[in-house]
Amino acid sequence: MNLRLFLPVALLALTACGSSGTATDSSSAAAPEGALVVATTVSPLTSIVAAVGGDNVDIQGIVPEGVNSHTFEPAPQDAELLSKADIIFVNGLKLEDPTLALAEANMKDGAEIVELGTIALPEADYIYDFSFPEDEGKPNPHLWTDPTYAIQYADLVRQKLSERDPANAAEYQANYDAFKAEAEKLAEAVSTDQQTVPAGGLKLVTYHDAYAYFARNFGWSVVGAIQPKTFDEPTPTEIAGLIEQIRTEGVPTIFGSEVFPSTVLEAIAAETGVRYEDSLRDDDLPGEPGSPEHSLLELLRYNYRTMISGLGGDPAALDALVFTIAVPDMAYYPQ
Ligand SMILES: [Zn+2]
């Protein structure tokens, strides 16, 4: 795809100068006439859909990178995109309820909403925790930080695109096979490198609670995630509890996120004497849109290597990994 790209700054500029910001402005120049219009929400999903759909579909992401997807409210003009989309891929698991509601109210006849996470994760496997407590009814939605779930998402995308556009099914299959092979290489590299972390050290204290499923599948433990369900800062009592836990568990590093800057982690690090690493990326893909690094797999590689080196390991296999699939450009719908 050679889509016109809209960085957050460009989005602001569009809004500021009163552009009508119509779907026509952003639609793919390269997607063939009559291509499926596919709307997606968060950037990890958009990256997966782009990897499978390649140049055959017109993909438009709704949630800009680097914003809090958990509190994101779609703009009224997103209704226009959602009214044109043939398929709307969302994570589900209650992550994007406002966008889902807007989609349901505006989707055209024959359009479909596919909740990738809700399909991929049986209810018995839901994880609830401090940031996503069970009494709120919203499970932790972050399946995509685990490459095995990213592969399942890609397979669901492949199935749906092939069903709606059978003429290109062989290409979706080939794209999926390539994505799966790369994600498996990534899983293998993290499994190798995590063995270099000193025994008993695969313990995560993060600000944003995005690694619960990854941790369960890869044998790590999440000592704590600091961000409360409101996405506000934790209370002094909650902070005191975490400081206690960090001391008990003896973690060397705590991990913050550039998407959710917080002074609380800094204060906790100062109080406990542990290192504060503030650069996990959550859903802010590395590199500029259109560059080879701008993909979910590169984001995960970056996060895993940051965690493993922060915990005293050597991320040599992750560093040595070379991804060979071409990453198609992604477009964000103008806001
Ligand atoms: Zn998140």
Side-chain angles (χ1 to χ4, degrees), residues 113 142 209 229 253:
I113 297 172
H142 300 96
D209 188 13
K229 64 183 182 187
T253 304

Side-chain angles (χ1 to χ4, degrees), residues 248-261:
T248 311
E249 299 280 352
V251 295
T253 304
I254 57 177
F255 299 94
S257 152
E258 56 167 40
V259 179
F260 299 97

Side-chain angles (χ1 to χ4, degrees), residues 197-198 201-204 220 251-253 255 306-313:
V197 170
L202 294 175
K203 291 174 181 171
L204 283 177
W220 295 45
V251 295
T253 304
F255 299 94
T306 302
M307 291 173 184
I308 286 170
S309 47
L311 297 174

Side-chain angles (χ1 to χ4, degrees), residues 262-291:
S262 167
T263 53
V264 170
L265 272 184
E266 262 171 90
I268 293 175
E271 174 73 23
T272 54
V274 305
R275 199 163 78 81
Y276 171 42
E277 168 60 59
D278 67 353
S279 71
L280 293 185
R281 304 193 66 95
D282 289 308
D283 40 23
D284 189 16
L285 306 180
E288 294 299 317
S291 73

